[in-house]
Amino acid sequence: MSTPSTPIQHVIVLCQENHSFDSYFGFYSGLPAGYGIPSGYTQPDGQGGTVAPFHFTDLTSGGVDPGHSWDAIHSEWDNGKMDGFYTTGGQTAVGYYESTDLPYYYSLLSSFTLCANYFCGALTSTYPNRLVLYAGTSGGNTSNRISNGTLNFPCVLDLLSAHGITFKNYNFYCPDNYSILALFQNWATGGPNNELNQTQAQFVADCQNNTLPQVSFVTTAPPYDEHPAANVQTGMQMTQSIIAAVQQSAAWSSTAILFTYDEAGGFFDHVAPPHLDAYGPGIRVPMLIVSPYAKPGYVDTTLSEHSSVLKFIETVFGLPTLASMNHQFDSGTPTTNNQANGAPFPPRDGSSAISDLTQCFTFG
């Protein structure tokens, strides 16, 4: 293992649920041309007319959770035309929030980095997307129909374990083994030291006692995960408390917080994802880089997606890629729970097409 070349000693990954980039930050005034919602932007209404995005009148997306299955997202994506959001998801799918709705998130933008060309992992729902975040691949799975302890390919926890990197997953408002990491055989019951089931109180204590591990994951559940139709400020206030706890700790000076969303949840976005394989990436989602080394007020437009988080961890701690360890899916995937007909899905952390997020930092 090579010696880390950055001052980062702690990486914290916080992944919330189901909001597209445009639905949260599409009207942010600091976005470069092409990355914010274009002037006059509309979606076809399916009857020969068009529908414009609208500002939500409440904080719960009108009490509606748009569809976000493989079929729904593919209908919205429409082979890259990005024109099926209203016809698939209805009026709710073209709603958005503004700075007045998400004041804490917008307050971070002047001090830290917003990634405006960051995509979720797959054109489908939560489980496959979180598998890309944690393993670089879903192993061909395209829906949430996966039981705990049934996956046998390497994930980031196996990589960290093998190289002596300390880690914990902290459960905020959710039960033990709620994390998608528990889908993996090696971690179905929490790991040898129950790494997967550390508490919210333990996170606070680890911040106060300067005992945060090298890599932390935060798992949340409704309504704190922002999954529609939860009040988005409930999750925002929780996120604020997490970031504040780190900022008030001795670890802050050597920490990078990577704050993103697992998938777009059926909400609209106008930027077509690149085509890396039969699974995605998926729709664009927010990613905020919160660190004393993050470029302040910077909007990054380098192509990134959930595997970029893995690449960042690998870069910071001098680790090999999961792609170098996992060749199960290089030429195909199991056809069970697979709407891509068994297409290959090698871990994307081996791809040079996506960034490792280090361009969002100034080290020196």
Side-chain angles (χ1 to χ4, degrees), residues 228-264:
N231 183 315
V232 293
Q233 290 189 356
T234 302
M236 179 181 68
Q237 289 161 3
M238 179 208 67
T239 300
Q240 181 173 3
S241 73
I242 291 170
I243 293 174
V246 180
Q247 288 176 320
Q248 292 160 15
S249 77
W252 169 243
S253 62
S254 58
T255 293
I257 301 171
L258 310 182
F259 169 46
T260 190
Y261 290 77
D262 64 340
E263 40 117 346

Side-chain angles (χ1 to χ4, degrees), residues 258-321:
L258 310 182
F259 169 46
T260 190
Y261 290 77
D262 64 340
E263 40 117 346
F267 293 102
F268 79 106
D269 197 84
H270 77 282
V271 177
H275 180 79
L276 294 181
D277 49 51
Y279 303 87
I283 308 300
R284 197 170 54 138
V285 292
M287 165 61 92
L288 273 159
I289 310 287
V290 181
S291 171
Y293 301 96
K295 295 178 180 177
Y298 181 64
V299 177
D300 179 60
T301 58
T302 314
L303 174 60
S304 308
E305 56 93 61
H306 280 339
S307 301
S308 296
V309 172
L310 295 171
K311 292 183 79 166
F312 182 75
I313 291 169
E314 291 157 1
T315 299
V316 166
F317 297 109
L319 304 174
T321 63

Side-chain angles (χ1 to χ4, degrees), residues 131 135 137-139 141 146-155 158 181-187 325-329 334:
L131 290 176
T137 175
S138 75
N141 290 283
I146 313 169
S147 299
N148 276 17
T150 58
L151 301 181
N152 65 357
F153 53 93
C155 72
D158 301 305
L181 288 160
L183 299 182
F184 292 92
Q185 284 181 1
N186 288 350
W187 305 98
M325 299 166 55
N326 177 10
H327 296 285
Q328 287 187 46
F329 311 122

Side-chain angles (χ1 to χ4, degrees), residues 330-347:
D330 289 0
S331 57
T333 49
T335 53
T336 305
N337 193 36
N338 186 329
Q339 289 176 269
N341 302 310
F345 198 170

Side-chain angles (χ1 to χ4, degrees), residues 129-212:
N129 274 288
R130 288 187 178 257
L131 290 176
V132 176
L133 179 67
Y134 297 138
T137 175
S138 75
N141 290 283
T142 55
S143 86
N144 292 351
R145 292 188 295 273
I146 313 169
S147 299
N148 276 17
T150 58
L151 301 181
N152 65 357
F153 53 93
C155 72
V156 63
L157 303 190
D158 301 305
L159 179 65
L160 299 173
S161 295
H163 293 273
I165 304 298
T166 58
F167 60 91
K168 291 179 182 177
N169 174 78
Y170 299 93
N171 290 323
F172 276 65
Y173 307 104
C174 55
D176 280 1
N177 304 317
Y178 183 84
S179 169
I180 300 303
L181 288 160
L183 299 182
F184 292 92
Q185 284 181 1
N186 288 350
W187 305 98
T189 57
N193 298 300
N194 210 27
E195 293 94 339
L196 219 57
N197 296 311
Q198 300 297 299
T199 64
Q200 185 172 347
Q202 187 62 52
F203 179 81
V204 174
D206 283 344
C207 287
Q208 292 174 341
N209 299 329
N210 197 22
T211 51
L212 282 171

